[in-house]
């Protein structure tokens, strides 16, 4: 399947033919700041499988191994980038309802930081932080030159 998406103003557009690796709700305070929402919901793909069709989103390095991206014009949050994965904000997809949700591993991460009165009605695993093995360190990450 092809999934497509982009920002509110249309300056940033992407598509991917890759199978989603997972879907997660992140409850951490950095994701709250980046999105302005109680949680950030991401769909993960292998790095390099998301094709930017127009302008690439602007990136902000929020941790030594993470860059967060957004449209430089309208500010829409687009992605969470690590060397092995490109995670797209679910809300940036044109048709999130078309995700093959039954075949995707869903989870909550950083649930220890969740807003006490905010939760969602699902039975996905609620990890206190990242799931075991989900914290690859990416010290040597170098962003490829974009031409
Ligand atoms: Zn935009
Ligand atoms: Zn987070």
């Amino acid at each position: 399947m092809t999934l497509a998406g982009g920002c509110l103003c249309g300056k940033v557009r992407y598509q991917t033919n890759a199978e989603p690796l997972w879907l997660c709700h992140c409850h951490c305070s950095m994701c709250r700041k980046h999105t302005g929402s109680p949680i950030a919901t991401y769909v993960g793909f292998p790095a390099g499988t998301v094709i930017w069709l127009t302008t690439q989103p602007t990136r902000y390095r929020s941790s030594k191994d993470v860059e967060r991206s957004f449209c430089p014009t309208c500010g829409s949050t687009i992605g969470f980038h690590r060397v092995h994965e490109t995670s797209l904000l679910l809300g940036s997809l044109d048709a999130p309802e078309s995700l093959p949700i039954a075949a995707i591993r869903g989870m909550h991460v950083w649930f220890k930081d969740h807003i006490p009165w905010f939760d969602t009605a699902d039975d996905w695993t609620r990890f206190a932080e990242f799931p075991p093995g989900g914290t690859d360190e990416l010290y040597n990450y170098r962003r490829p030159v974009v031409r």
Side-chain angles (χ1 to χ4, degrees):
M1 70 183 300
T2 298
L3 292 167
C7 67
L8 181 61
C9 76
K11 185 170 187 172
V12 174
R13 294 289 304 164
Y14 62 75
Q15 72 177 38
T16 180
N17 297 317
E19 294 297 319
L21 298 170
W22 44 257
L23 181 65
C24 94
H25 297 308
C26 184
H27 296 259
C28 85
S29 61
M30 293 177 75
C31 286
R32 283 203 296 268
K33 288 286 189 185
H34 187 58
T35 62
S37 298
I39 57 173
T41 302
Y42 299 97
V43 181
F45 297 93
T49 62
V50 175
I51 308 303
W52 304 105
L53 302 174
T54 55
T55 304
Q56 286 220 12
T58 300
R59 293 185 179 212
Y60 167 70
R61 184 174 293 265
S62 57
S63 310
K64 66 184 175 220
D65 60 344
V66 171
E67 290 184 332
R68 296 167 186 269
S69 65
F70 54 94
C71 173
T73 297
C74 69
S76 298
T77 49
I78 302 293
F80 182 98
H81 308 267
R82 299 196 300 171
V83 70
H84 299 301
E85 292 173 349
T86 298
S87 307
L88 298 170
L89 271 295
L90 182 78
S92 71
L93 292 170
D94 292 341
E97 67 277 11
S98 68
L99 280 174
I101 194 67
I104 300 175
R105 181 186 184 205
M107 65 188 127
H108 293 248
V109 299
W110 288 94
F111 196 71
K112 73 176 189 179
D113 290 345
H114 81 285
I115 298 171
W117 50 260
F118 185 89
D119 203 350
T120 58
D122 58 68
D123 60 1
W124 296 352
T125 302
R126 282 151 170 77
F127 293 103
E129 297 181 359
F130 284 120
T135 55
D136 295 323
E137 294 294 348
L138 312 169
Y139 300 111
N140 297 318
Y141 178 41
R142 296 282 184 278
R143 191 174 355 151
V145 174
V146 177
R147 299 181 195 287

